[in-house]
Amino acid sequence: MKSALILIDIQNDYFPGGKMELVGAENAGKKAGSMLDAARKNGYLIIHIQHLATRPDAPFFLPETKGAMINDLVKPLPGEDVVQKNFPNSFRETNLQEILTKAGVENLVIGGMMTHMCVDATVRAAADLGYQCMLASDACATRDLIWDGQTVPAEYVHMSFLAALSGLYVQVFSTEDVIRQIKG
């Protein structure tokens, strides 16, 4: 079965100094970069997802800014697909499914940012579309959330979403374990 690596929104605005810095973005980006290297060496289809804001008052991912650019840790090579999106779900109003179908892809390996938003939405959509999904837990990052006046630390947000996705929607592994599976 043909496999693809999908890296979701690993963009500069999520890294230190960006407009929406995530907890652990640098480490997650490095892990995603290791996974990307393995996938390239093992013939995986590589797809980078890039979120671009469409609202004029959006605080980050503004088109044609450094913050919206894909981070150098996972910089696309010539010939690798870059799918631009405007919604959390990477399949919504993009050509992602068309690319996967044309290539005969059945298995997806996923990493990216933010765990609780775009990663969650994309993994659920992919599973609903019939793809077998594997998620590298430490190649993802998120941020603290506030609910009802309480701060939920990023670590708990991240773990909660991984726990909710694991099993029915996706197999969750460390990047190290994902790389072992990529190498066969």
Side-chain angles (χ1 to χ4, degrees):
M1 288 190 269
K2 183 131 182 176
S3 299
L5 173 67
I6 298 179
L7 296 177
I8 303 168
D9 302 348
I10 304 179
Q11 296 169 245
N12 291 329
D13 271 341
Y14 283 151
F15 285 80
K19 293 183 177 181
M20 179 57 80
E21 185 176 337
L22 302 182
V23 175
E26 196 74 34
N27 185 57
K30 288 176 185 175
K31 297 283 187 176
S34 297
M35 197 166 53
L36 176 59
D37 289 342
R40 284 173 173 157
K41 289 175 184 170
N42 287 278
Y44 275 53
L45 176 66
I46 308 296
I47 302 173
H48 302 267
I49 306 295
Q50 180 185 33
H51 193 104
L52 295 176
T54 54
R55 291 188 349 254
D57 63 337
F60 62 101
F61 289 164
L62 301 172
E64 300 180 31
T65 64
K66 182 180 179 186
M69 293 173 59
I70 294 172
N71 189 272
D72 285 343
L73 292 170
V74 293
K75 187 174 182 173
L77 293 178
E80 292 178 350
D81 288 298
V82 177
V83 172
Q84 294 180 337
K85 68 178 180 65
N86 310 115
F87 300 97
N89 174 355
S90 299
F91 289 92
R92 183 177 171 189
E93 297 181 26
T94 71
N95 64 339
L96 177 57
Q97 188 173 8
E98 179 183 327
I99 292 167
L100 296 170
T101 300
K102 185 176 179 182
V105 170
E106 296 178 20
N107 297 307
L108 303 180
V109 176
I110 301 169
M113 303 176 182
M114 292 188 287
T115 311
H116 77 277
M117 185 62 66
C118 297
V119 172
D120 178 70
T122 299
V123 165
R124 289 175 188 272
D128 286 346
L129 290 168
Y131 294 100
Q132 297 298 310
C133 301
M134 186 182 333
L135 180 63
S137 62
D138 52 351
C140 297
T142 196
R143 63 185 179 91
D144 294 351
L145 295 179
I146 297 173
W147 173 250
D148 199 25
Q150 300 291 316
T151 298
V152 182
E155 176 184 8
Y156 296 135
V157 173
H158 183 71
M159 288 189 306
S160 295
F161 274 81
L162 293 176
L165 289 170
S166 183
L168 182 61
Y169 286 101
V170 66
Q171 295 179 346
V172 180
F173 297 101
S174 69
T175 297
E176 185 177 288
D177 288 338
V178 169
I179 290 172
R180 272 197 284 279
Q181 291 186 49
I182 288 172
K183 291 179 178 180

